[in-house]
Amino acid sequence: MAPILDIKGLYKNYGSTEILKDINVAIEPGDFLVLVGPSGCGKSTLLNCIAGLEPITGGSLSIGGQDMSNVSPKDRDIAMVFQSYALYPTMTVAKNITFGMKVRGVDQAEQDAKLERVAEQLQIKPLLNRRPSQLSGGQRQRVAMGRALVRDPKLFLFDEPLSNLDAKLRVEMRTEIKALHQNLGATMVYVTHDQIEAMTLATKIVVMKGGVIQQIGTPSEIYNRPANMFVADFMGSPAMNLIPAKATANGNGSVIEITGADGTPITLKDTGTSGLPNDVIIGVRPEDIAEAGQRSGESLQQAECRIDIVEPAGADTFVVTHLGGKAVTARLHAETTAKAGQPQMLSFDLSKVSYFVPATGERLN
Amino acid sequence: MAPILDIKGLYKNYGSTEILKDINVAIEPGDFLVLVGPSGCGKSTLLNCIAGLEPITGGSLSIGGQDMSNVSPKDRDIAMVFQSYALYPTMTVAKNITFGMKVRGVDQAEQDAKLERVAEQLQIKPLLNRRPSQLSGGQRQRVAMGRALVRDPKLFLFDEPLSNLDAKLRVEMRTEIKALHQNLGATMVYVTHDQIEAMTLATKIVVMKGGVIQQIGTPSEIYNRPANMFVADFMGSPAMNLIPAKATANGNGSVIEITGADGTPITLKDTGTSGLPNDVIIGVRPEDIAEAGQRSGESLQQAECRIDIVEPAGADTFVVTHLGGKAVTARLHAETTAKAGQPQMLSFDLSKVSYFVPATGERLN
Amino acid sequence: MTDAAFTNTPARTQGKAVTVALRWLLYVLLIAFALFYLAPLFVMVTTSLKSLEEIRTGDLIALPREVTFDAWATAWSGACTGIQCEGVRPYFWNSVLIAVPAVLISTLIGAINGYVVAQWQFRGANVFFALLLFGCFIPFQVVLLPMARMLGLMGIAGTIPGLIFVHVVYGLGFTTLFFRNYYVSIPSELVKAAKVDGAGFFRIFWSIFLPLSLPIIVVTVIWQFTQIWNDFLFGVSFSQAGTQPVTVALNNIVNSTTGVKEYNVDMAAAIIAALPTLIVYVIAGKYFIRGLTAGSVKG
Amino acid sequence: GPEAEVLHWWTSGGEAKSVAVLQEEFAANGGTWTDMPVAGGGGDAAMQALRARVLSGNAPTAVQLKGPAIQEWYEEGVLADITAVAEAEGWADVLPASIAGHMQCDGTWCAAPVNVHRVDWIWANADVLEANGIAMPTTWEEFNAAAAQLQEAGIIPLAHGGQAWQDATVFEAVALGILGADGFRKAFVELDEETLTSPEMVAVFDQMRTMRGFVDPNFPGRDWNLATAMVMNGEAAFQIMGDWAKGEFLAAGKTPGEDFLCASTPGEGFLYNVDSFAMFAVDGEDKQEGQALLAELIVGENFQEVFNLNKGSIPARTDVALDAFDSCALLSAADMSASSESGSLLPSYAHGMALRGAQSGAITDVVTQHFNSDMSSEEAVQQLAAAVANSL
Amino acid sequence: MQFLERNLPKIMLAPSFLAVLIFVYGFIAWTGWVSLTRSRLLPRYDIEGFIQYERLFDSPRWDTAFGNLFLFGALFIGISMILGLVLAIFLDQNIRAEGAIRTIYLYPMALSMIVTGTAWKWILNPGLGLEAMVRRWGFEDFRFDWLVNSDMAIYTIVLAAIWQSSGFVMALFLAGLRSVDGEIIKAAQIDGIPTWRIYSAIIIPSMAPIFLSAFIVLAHLAIKSFDLVIALTGGGPGFATDLPATYMFSMAFSRGDIGQAASSAMVMMGVVFAIVVPYLYSELRAKND
Ligand SMILES: Nc1ncnc2c1ncn2[C@@H]1O[C@H](COP(=O)(O)OP(=O)(O)OP(=O)(O)O)[C@@H](O)[C@H]1O
Ligand SMILES: Nc1ncnc2c1ncn2[C@@H]1O[C@H](COP(=O)(O)OP(=O)(O)OP(=O)(O)O)[C@@H](O)[C@H]1O
Ligand SMILES: [Mg+2]
Ligand SMILES: [Mg+2]
């Protein structure tokens, strides 16, 4: 299947500053591509380039197999949803949704039919005669989606569509977008800087930093096998614990030594990884640290750690300890008996850890 | 120990609208009291009343055992941190922190000493000569904390101090505040509408709605035994699933019948709860629904459900199914085999469910 | 924002030639309007640089054949207004003496009023503000006579302090409006934080609000300065010999009904009288509009 | 020493020079003169300033005022009494009775006359008339015929500035010619309704309509001195204007009788416009002394001669030697004494000598409205009567 | 001390409050009172009823002045808004030297008509200005004599007023255009809406508050217009270009008819009231939400 969006060696400068550097991405029909990265890394700029709202400086960009160099936004068969919703403030919801069709001269009956269908789908029928200013954030978001949906485009572009909503609504809308994607089988490019959103929505994630792609992969690749420390730190909440350690070879595996809170070394055995250099950073996700005795298996290694902080969070309890001079967070059961200031036996699942080069941050295993 | 803050029958009106109704709260020294509730429920207003920034309409308020009716904010021995940080935009960080001392005429040497100590504590030493506009959100947040810390007050008041930060930073700062509380042994009143923040920080939570207190309790009381459906729905993310059900008595326990996605009834046996009325709402948290076979125990009841959506979120995977006409979310392991559109055996932990009266929302068990 | 959004679209549907032609048309129109706005100033400047002889014989818009600054010298220090022939110079300084304190005082009071109305809301503050705003719209002719009586009762009739007083009173509406609208957008949490810090009313104003107010101070000062400097009605009504502002002198020079009209001197005097406000607008006009839209008339 | 603050609107050229004469004399007598000129609107701006100053209890010492306005201000109780000076100087003997009348309020003297302007002058370019074989008209018919002839020849017959007071100046000259002295008095001093609506008044407006045809199209808003210049340089033939126009001719180096001609407008009578200074009640001996000195100097022979030579008018005193004056002034002086005897020495309404401001203004409104539109004369007369009634 | 602290804001406002009460409302009341008397040269205080209003409404000059206010006001406000908007849109097209052009359009606001009136009078004078100039170029039939034509003179006032204020309106609108959310324009571009439709259907309708502000500023200028008329036409030809403000001025100061002036002032206040009060109401309500 030919990729629906194919970006090759794309560069984008503003004046003399390079904003995007050598971007290569391709998406298949039905993909849900999420662009993540910290603020200012160029996500919106890339999206604007795809939409044709910004000219590209170098490289090529094709949609549906057709080169887009000289195609204006309206002819690219795309639809876009913006962070600020960008609803036309003086028009009613219905007009907001149909205005594009009206301008393109679509006949009234068809306009009505499409409006009807979309309003149904998004459950905004009762709102059709309101103005954007009379809507709540979530409702506005729905209308903005409606405006995109009536176009039946080849490609949907979303620029942080949920970041103006409060936490609760964000979760709800996220689920709705996911459902929409599954129902429509549409192709989507979605920008966010919320990594949970990225994980839950994407079929494919692009992690960016400073205009450069750091990693492209499925959510589980990105989560479980981050390509470097930046990705490891960026994805997941609480973030992956990145602990400086010494590694020594041990048969087919390695022995990892970490400095505990009181200076005594803690030793862990990783039987699955070999060929590590002496200085490494070991990356462990909080959910891969558990109370000793809760799970069992060969890859589990135990160590006693002094607990600094206990944060019960309803479903789970987070505890913070110190290893290798860093605060390390572990996700324990809600019913844990760990107490702040007390030592606690923790088990580390070494089958799931990542190793990084301290200097470059590159992944080792 | 005498309560440090004691609010009795407090009322607050703006003109003729009652904003706060019959508020009764007391806090012991060292408590971390969190006020949660939806937007507009009166959290900020209550905090302003405590600070003396708004006069109260009725009831009494005492701090450190002393009635505060005619005491101005500066004499209440409090410090306050605001959502917008409210840093003085034209002053440097150092001046922001020392302004209050300067106003009170504290001598220069002492000002310097305190500034030094606080800057150390919060690691903002390199920032002391910058203006607020030259700081990032998290740095501003720290400065605002610094301004509060130099006062060594009896009581710290925080009004959504983290809600302007992005998700990642919010988590970090949350941990810092928690640490600060533990280290200083200070007494804090903290407003938020983020229930995760409430759960992780509080020693005591006050849930408010429409100016009325819904429940006061420890985080685990609030999470596990919500006093009504409002609290149940409000606390926890994803929210507790509230499913309409029919209950019939069964010996010492009850039998609960729920309509499945395809209309076939699902029957669950609760051996621990009796005396339920016929119509109930059963509340189950997502983490109390698991894949069948993962855990075992008497209280676990299995049922086959069709999965509508699968949302992998890194550490966990959320799946959505439909029960009793409602979308029901379950939190499964990251490695779950559940697939959208396929049936899946799920187990419900009935020892942890809550029951509510459909009409009033009151808790039954 | 918008222009950036418009111009960078990579692909245009119209042909390039059409686009270029449209762009030329646009520039031609813009320049035509610029000429319209500049015409009177152009006539004034060129006329002031011509000799009387050339004015009588020449074209209105012709450039001076021979540039002479005599008219300027005369207007500044030699033109007669009545029996005194000192030009507009002494009146110019009168205007300065009136405008500078009046602008400063009305700005300061406006700032305090705006601060109270915006940040220390109390019952009735809005009523006060509405009353004050309505006062902005009162035609000044209405107040001339009673004001004269009041000034007499206060013992400052015909004096420069009297004129300053009048300008301050009728400037309050606008200055308060500007500051109020600016301060309303400053979060009230700032005041709360300062109160908790122990600062009082003046301390908060002085240490926190004033340092923040530069943009709106610029707007207010420009506005007030223009109004007061250009005022004729109050100047002619409430001054006496020795306190007349430059507009009155200008009027005496320009509007004399008999005798030979020295148009070049008239124009030179007019430009001299307009110079301070003109300079202020050219230098600070940008900040003026920016501040104005941030303040009083923001959408 | 004596002090005087003088509010006036003589701000330009010849006028200012004339005032300077007074100032010098005042200074020579040890006085301190503070000048308060306010130009514009034929004194409107000065009156505005005056009102404000009187209300604020800070009146100037002397103010250029004239006609019934003096009595009006007197009625407001704000004028000073200068009877002592007047009696000591014997003003009653040297001033014509009708002019003296304007200076007296309830039997006391309250103002000092400066000069007598004659308003009903017609000025002409001598060369233009000669070239077309036209003599100075003595009736309005002659004027119309001459004007028509000039128009044929491509010359603007009547130089006119379209400002309300100039319209009124022409109007009253025409009215004096057509209504006669008695009719004029009835109409514009006594405001007799019958006269105001009489057929003669219709004829006056008819003549105005005719005159409108003799004016060039660019007349509105033009200053009178520019109209005078048109006569001077031969662009136009005639101008109807008070004798201050002579000052313009003289300033341009023209000689009466040779370069330009002066004559009274067709008809019997003499319309005068007397400039005077009223003294306002002020505190302070210095100022009161200044007022007395000023009054004495103003009516003094020396000032009357010098000032009027400068200004183009004739002295208010009848006992000043006229040797230095030109032919037009001599004609004016002779006509004045003749008219004074025949009872046709009349106050100018257009220059505020005959009526209070409200009434003269109401009349002027109609006159200027008629002159600047195509209103019929009958309608104008109706409006005139209505406006006068409304203004009472 | 407590009392002082609590009431300091009120105390600070008190002098201004007092000043406004006396110098605005007191004076309006005073004018209202005087309008009921037969005051002439100086105010008198014996109430005589509504004669001044009867005289006012009988006066053809007032009819003209009052009618002119609406004619002048409508044209001035309408054209200034349209011109200002058009210029703002032109300047919004990424124009080179935008700053300089903006300054040129804006500077007339800085000048008083006392200053520029003479230049305008010249330019508009058929014998001296534009008409004479064009004729000298050889177009003998060119006519531009509005200034001296009773029926057209009011339009010269409109012209000069537009010259003075339209640049200011342009600046307001330009700021308004610039404050429209860039994402809305992007959305419209993707929707395939042509540039002129983006302006007409989306941007301009969303600037309603700026239109209101501009309207109020212009209305306020129109009602107060005085210098303009005095400098340009002195109310003439005849009294064809009188406005209520000049009518009132001439009644008070050249006619010595203060009672009449007061009654005309009260009618003007009525007009101001009718325009401003609804605006103030909406303004204060909106800002309080
Ligand atoms: N018109 C422009 N001219 C110059 N630089 C620009 C322009 N627009 C954006 N930039 C710069 O390009 C970089 C990338 O901006 P972009 O808006 O794409 O970031 P982003 O990843 O979307 O950030 P955010 O998460 O905050 O939306 C930023 O450093 C920004 O300052
Ligand atoms: N000055 C005021 N006058 C009248 N009503 C007010 C005032 N301040 C707040 N309110 C109202 O009081 C109610 C409670 O406001 P408050 O700011 O305490 O809510 P909150 O719980 O802090 O909300 P949020 O989470 O949005 O900050 C709201 O309905 C608000 O509209
Ligand atoms: Mg972005
Ligand atoms: Mg709040």
Side-chain angles (χ1 to χ4, degrees), chain B residues 48 82 84 86-88 103 151, chain C residues 189-190 192 194 196-198 211:
Chain B
N48 283 338
F82 297 89
S84 66
L87 298 181
Y88 309 132
V103 170
R151 301 208 58 180
Chain C
E189 292 186 342
L190 219 49
K192 290 182 180 168
V196 172
D197 255 349

Side-chain angles (χ1 to χ4, degrees), chain B residues 14 19 38-45 83 160 193:
Chain B
Y14 279 121
I19 303 294
S39 190
C41 71
K43 306 180 295 292
S44 298
T45 305
Q83 172 173 359
E160 311 198 16
H193 57 232

Side-chain angles (χ1 to χ4, degrees), chain A residues 48 53 74 80 82-84 86-91 99-100 103-104 147 151, chain E residues 181 183-194 197 201-202 205-207:
Chain A
N48 285 339
L53 295 167
K74 66 173 195 291
M80 191 159 172
F82 296 87
Q83 174 173 359
S84 66
L87 300 181
Y88 309 137
T90 54
M91 301 185 194
F99 189 61
V103 170
R104 285 193 304 276
R147 194 169 58 182
R151 301 205 59 183
Chain E
D181 181 1
E183 290 195 340
I184 290 185
I185 292 161
K186 288 182 181 173
Q189 282 179 331
I190 289 178
D191 240 352
I193 298 164
R197 284 294 288 268
I202 296 167
S206 73
M207 294 203 310

Side-chain angles (χ1 to χ4, degrees), chain C residues 259-275:
Chain C
V260 181
K261 271 199 173 282
E262 298 185 276
Y263 288 110
N264 51 357
V265 175
D266 291 359
M267 293 301 175
I271 298 172
I272 291 175
L275 221 45

Side-chain angles (χ1 to χ4, degrees), chain D residues 134-225:
Chain D
I134 292 173
M136 264 324 235
T138 55
T139 67
W140 287 110
E141 287 72 33
E142 278 180 42
F143 177 84
N144 293 345
Q149 187 190 337
L150 288 163
Q151 209 157 27
E152 286 286 291
I155 292 168
I156 300 166
L158 184 64
H160 180 64
Q163 295 169 339
W165 68 273
Q166 295 191 54
D167 295 342
T169 301
V170 173
F171 174 75
E172 72 174 349
V174 172
L176 178 64
I178 292 177
L179 301 177
D182 283 342
F184 185 92
R185 179 176 294 113
K186 277 214 179 97
F188 298 116
V189 180
E190 293 161 9
L191 294 176
D192 174 45
E193 190 178 344
E194 209 173 306
T195 318
L196 285 174
T197 53
S198 64
E200 287 79 13
M201 193 57 85
V202 175
V204 172
F205 278 104
D206 285 341
Q207 175 62 22
M208 288 300 285
R209 177 63 66 236
T210 309
M211 313 264 289
R212 175 71 173 77
F214 297 147
V215 167
D216 69 303
N218 294 340
F219 76 102
R222 176 186 290 147
D223 288 330
W224 68 268
N225 52 321

Side-chain angles (χ1 to χ4, degrees), chain D residues 277-298:
Chain D
F277 278 98
M279 304 301 165
F280 277 72
V282 288
D283 293 331
E285 216 155 281
D286 287 353
K287 289 185 179 172
Q288 283 162 3
E289 226 175 282
Q291 284 181 334
L293 177 59
L294 201 57
E296 188 186 323
L297 292 178
I298 286 170

